[in-house]
Amino acid sequence: MAMAEQRTGAQALQLYESPRPRRNERHDSFAIIHHFNLCFATFGRAAGNEKAEAADEKRQKDEEPRTTAGWKTMPFIIGNEACEKLAVAGLGSNMVVYLVTQYNMKKVAATNMLNIWSGTTSLATLPGAFLADSYLGRFWAITIGCFSYLLGMSILTATAVIPRLRPSACSAVEKKLKRCERASAGQFALLVLVFAFKAIGSAGVRPSNMAFGADQFEQEGEKGKKRVQSFFNWYYFSSSLALIVSLTVIVYIQSNVSWGIGFGICTAFMVISTGFFLLGRRTYRHEVPRGSAFTGFAQVIVASIRKRSLLLPSDSSQLYHGEQTGLKPRPANQFRFLNRAAIITEGDIRPDGSSPVSSWRVCSVQQIEELKSIMRTVPIFSCGIANQITNSQQHTFSVLQALSMDRRLGSKGFQIPAGSFSVFSLLVLIAWLPFYDRVIVPMARRVTKDNRGITMFQRMGIGFFISALSMLVAGLVEVKRRNTALSHGLADQPSAIVPISALWLVPQFCIAGLAEAFHTVGNLEFFYDQFPATMRSTAIAMSSCTAALGHYLSATIVTVVHNTTGRDGRPDWLDDNLNRGHLEYFYWLLSTMEALNVIYFVVCARWYKCADRRAMNVNLDASASCHEMECMQP
């Protein structure tokens, strides 16, 4: 990367050269940092003006944003993300156990509460991304989010340390008689406050952190695009490593040592995460917020409605193209009714031709195409919802399954915490991502001639199919667990440990991890690739919103199944006593939904048409070529 900056007075030239790693180079994410080289040269004037020039240069330097960026910023960004994952995952993965054992909640109630909370947390990323892209900037959005996380974690730690902030402990006899003390209004309000602060933290951090990291790289040219793509993979890889530590060490401390100490460690990691991020503030490249993109979308809709009776000109050059003086691409035919917003009528443009009289009367072709790019993603967005319903089970019913099984390694060995089984998903994910990035992609490139190896749609579709398989396997494992419980006379003992190894759950978690490696990374790439550059945080948030709606829909399905399957005195599928229920039927229902979702996704992918790159005037990945989608020609 080479950048030349003209300074008033002193005229200083700063050159930043950052060799971009090739895809066939052998290196890890930390070694890449050392590839960044910095060069600086200053050209002065006469000796008599040196003092004034130095003062002028210092003033200019203080006023200008730092733009060193590149791999040099990665220790701060990835360090912030890794510690944040250690903190947040250490709370979320074991929360269902905390609610059931410490807050005396019923299993279905705890599951639904977590689904609603997870959905709200994910949905909050959309307004968070909007504020980051339009007003706050990603740096300040992340900073505010980190401090909000800290407040929520501090309150949750207090509920674990101070006994009167949570209900009294419930004995096995009280559980059997259903006489456990419920949380008071004040205790429940504290829990809601924790979730509220965590939702605000998620709104600030989750949509902006990855986009902020990608902002640190030049994205022009093939090498720049490959670096961003590689950053996504390594970012996800390092986050997964942090999650593994969280799901093993921290969850073990919470379950076997002390909830207070476990939550306190999470809070400490959040302090470290915030410190990491703020330490690198002088090295970051900051994208300046450009106002609300959604206002521009509203202007397109209003202008197109006003001109709905007008005929579109046959020559697209007669449409309003803003200040463009070069190539004027024609707008895409998809959502053709919006193209009327660019029709120029009398009084729309100022007499000097410089700008529109009102942006609500006429809009540029670029504005229209940006709105179309968002509208095109809606069907693909909807496909991810069913996938997230299956993913949410890893932290709810699958954990409750593990809680009822023998989790010892050996007859008297180490006992795996129920909330730690998600680590098997992550182990598969972190093993697969570098293998995919370094082995599968180069091999696939030679066959498909596609820069990504396989297309984003193919990657997501494979993930959907594997996700359906994970629920099928989960149902088969539950059949074995339940049959073992019944054969040992444990049908009416919901708190008893069924004499079957919890390692039987490992296959379903591993398959779910492989599904995530395909779908989640592909989904992030898709939204980041197809959204305008001014909406990159919103693009990342779209992936989180699929999770939000998936959690909400999961809570709805759980409630419906719980209320409709238990009739004529029979236990329902999701009975609080898993040994009496039929959890396997619920898993197979989800597997069927996911299989239908694969068919729906194929239909949506065939319909999808990518926007004209030059019309949008953004840096989209050239690998999404016309053999994958039908691209418009200028």
Side-chain angles (χ1 to χ4, degrees):
M1 171 175 60
M3 299 177 61
E5 238 180 14
Q6 186 73 28
R7 296 180 181 273
T8 57
Q11 286 193 338
L13 176 66
Q14 291 183 325
L15 298 176
Y16 298 94
E17 294 182 355
S18 177
R20 298 174 174 85
R22 297 181 180 177
R23 294 295 254 176
N24 60 355
E25 288 180 340
R26 297 180 177 270
H27 54 70
D28 58 29
S29 58
F30 301 102
I32 299 175
I33 298 169
H34 302 292
H35 287 225
F36 185 88
N37 298 313
L38 177 66
C39 297
F40 178 80
T42 304
F43 300 94
R45 287 185 178 178
N49 295 328
E50 285 181 359
K51 192 171 183 179
E53 290 171 1
D56 183 58
E57 182 176 353
K58 184 178 185 303
R59 178 181 60 80
Q60 293 287 340
K61 207 171 185 180
D62 290 339
E63 292 176 356
E64 294 172 353
R66 301 278 179 163
T67 57
T68 54
W71 286 107
K72 187 177 182 180
T73 62
M74 289 304 103
F76 306 111
I77 294 174
I78 292 181
N80 164 258
E81 171 66 11
C83 291
E84 184 259 339
K85 281 289 184 292
L86 280 167
V88 176
L91 300 182
S93 61
N94 216 22
M95 186 59 68
V96 69
V97 179
Y98 184 68
L99 294 180
V100 170
T101 60
Q102 303 298 308
Y103 266 76
N104 302 331
M105 284 189 180
K106 290 186 176 181
K107 293 173 182 176
V108 170
T111 297
N112 276 343
M113 185 173 186
L114 284 181
N115 277 327
I116 293 171
W117 166 61
S118 298
T120 304
T121 298
S122 297
L123 196 62
T125 60
L126 193 58
F130 167 73
L131 291 173
D133 282 336
S134 304
Y135 301 107
L136 294 176
R138 289 168 194 142
F139 173 83
W140 285 110
I142 295 170
T143 302
I144 293 170
C146 286
F147 281 106
S148 182
Y149 266 142
L150 271 175
L151 285 173
M153 292 178 185
S154 299
I155 295 172
L156 186 61
T157 303
T159 66
V161 172
I162 304 173
R164 66 174 179 271
L165 297 182
R166 66 180 188 275
S168 301
C170 185
S171 66
V173 175
E174 289 174 322
K175 287 181 180 179
K176 191 172 183 179
L177 297 175
K178 298 181 180 180
R179 294 178 179 175
C180 297
E181 180 186 341
R182 300 285 181 240
S184 66
Q187 292 167 344
F188 190 78
L190 277 179
L191 199 59
V192 171
L193 192 61
V194 169
F195 291 158
F197 277 123
K198 289 187 69 179
I200 296 171
S202 176
V205 175
R206 283 174 59 179
S208 298
N209 204 325
M210 184 177 288
F212 188 71
D215 287 343
Q216 308 309 308
F217 299 96
E218 288 294 325
Q219 298 175 29
E220 295 285 353
E222 286 301 313
K223 289 184 177 180
K225 294 180 177 71
K226 288 180 181 179
R227 295 182 74 190
V228 173
Q229 183 182 350
S230 185
F231 163 72
F232 279 141
N233 280 333
W234 288 112
Y235 180 95
Y236 214 86
F237 176 80
S238 60
S239 298
S240 299
L241 282 176
L243 285 172
I244 286 176
V245 176
S246 181
L247 292 173
T248 52
V249 178
I250 295 178
V251 169
Y252 178 82
I253 292 173
Q254 291 170 351
S255 301
N256 297 279
V257 179
S258 166
W259 285 101
I261 294 175
F263 288 158
I265 291 173
C266 292
T267 305
F269 270 119
M270 199 62 235
V271 172
I272 297 171
S273 173
T274 306
F276 257 122
F277 185 71
L278 294 179
L279 279 174
R281 65 187 180 86
R282 296 180 67 84
T283 66
Y284 299 141
R285 176 189 292 124
H286 299 270
E287 294 288 337
V288 179
R290 301 177 186 177
S292 172
F294 291 99
T295 302
F297 296 159
Q299 290 168 347
V300 171
I301 294 171
V302 170
S304 62
I305 292 174
R306 282 181 170 178
K307 300 178 179 180
R308 60 187 179 278
S309 60
L310 300 181
L311 295 176
L312 284 167
S314 57
D315 185 0
S316 62
S317 64
Q318 297 177 16
L319 298 175
Y320 180 64
H321 289 268
E323 298 179 359
Q324 282 184 290
T325 56
L327 179 67
K328 295 181 178 181
R330 63 179 174 86
N333 287 327
Q334 202 172 32
F335 306 117
R336 184 181 174 85
F337 65 92
L338 293 174
N339 296 344
R340 290 183 173 83
I343 297 176
I344 302 174
T345 59
E346 185 177 356
D348 283 348
I349 307 298
R350 298 185 186 279
D352 59 1
S354 60
S355 60
V357 171
S358 171
S359 297
W360 296 92
R361 293 179 58 176
V362 63
C363 303
S364 68
V365 171
Q366 178 177 330
Q367 276 182 276
I368 296 170
E369 292 306 303
E370 286 181 350
L371 174 56
K372 288 181 182 180
S373 72
I374 306 303
M375 294 173 66
R376 289 184 186 97
T377 64
V378 172
I380 306 299
F381 166 82
S382 66
C383 294
I385 297 174
N387 179 257
Q388 293 299 332
I389 296 174
T390 60
N391 284 348
S392 65
Q393 309 314 315
Q394 292 187 60
H395 307 293
T396 53
F397 285 111
S398 293
V399 175
L400 296 175
Q401 277 181 292
L403 201 62
S404 70
M405 300 169 75
D406 184 1
R407 291 173 279 119
R408 294 174 298 172
L409 296 178
S411 59
K412 296 182 180 179
F414 170 78
Q415 181 169 276
I416 304 173
S420 292
F421 277 82
S422 295
V423 76
F424 294 106
S425 296
L426 292 171
L427 287 172
V428 170
L429 190 147
I430 66 169
W432 174 256
L433 284 180
F435 178 75
Y436 176 84
D437 192 51
R438 296 301 178 205
V439 179
I440 302 297
V441 169
M443 291 174 60
R445 279 184 187 145
R446 290 193 288 268
V447 176
T448 64
K449 309 302 180 184
D450 189 284
N451 187 51
R452 286 188 174 90
I454 62 175
T455 67
M456 293 179 292
F457 286 162
Q458 290 168 344
R459 190 169 186 175
M460 286 189 281
I462 293 171
F464 291 145
F465 176 80
I466 297 175
S467 184
L469 184 62
S470 71
M471 287 293 97
L472 178 64
V473 172
L476 294 174
V477 172
E478 173 58 16
V479 169
K480 183 172 181 61
R481 188 207 67 81
R482 184 174 179 274
N483 288 341
T484 303
L486 296 178
S487 64
H488 285 78
L490 302 176
D492 296 317
Q493 299 182 44
S495 300
I497 300 299
V498 180
I500 178 175
S501 175
L503 295 180
W504 277 94
L505 298 173
V506 171
Q508 69 194 59
F509 279 100
C510 289
I511 296 172
L514 187 61
E516 186 175 0
F518 274 98
H519 169 261
T520 304
V521 179
N523 201 45
L524 285 170
E525 280 189 75
F526 170 76
F527 286 114
Y528 190 85
D529 183 77
Q530 296 302 308
F531 270 46
T534 55
M535 298 181 67
R536 289 282 164 77
S537 292
T538 304
I540 303 300
M542 288 292 286
S543 183
S544 295
C545 284
T546 61
L549 296 178
H551 284 295
Y552 285 141
L553 192 54
S554 178
T556 303
I557 293 172
V558 167
T559 301
V560 171
V561 170
H562 180 63
N563 292 334
T564 59
T565 56
R567 294 177 178 176
D568 301 325
R570 294 175 298 177
D572 64 84
W573 293 0
L574 305 177
D575 192 84
D576 209 47
N577 180 0
L578 294 181
N579 300 333
R580 282 291 187 186
H582 284 282
L583 182 58
E584 68 274 15
Y585 294 165
F586 177 69
Y587 283 149
W588 290 338
L589 173 65
L590 298 184
S591 181
T592 302
M593 290 177 56
E594 188 68 63
L596 293 174
N597 187 56
V598 173
I599 299 172
Y600 172 63
F601 174 74
V602 171
V603 174
C604 292
R606 286 185 175 275
W607 174 83
Y608 188 87
K609 301 172 187 287
C610 73
D612 183 299
R613 289 159 170 53
R614 279 174 284 188
M616 286 176 22
N617 194 28
V618 294
N619 298 322
L620 299 180
D621 197 321
S623 67
S625 56
C626 293
H627 70 269
E628 175 187 351
M629 312 172 199
E630 183 181 338
C631 295
M632 195 192 77
Q633 299 298 323

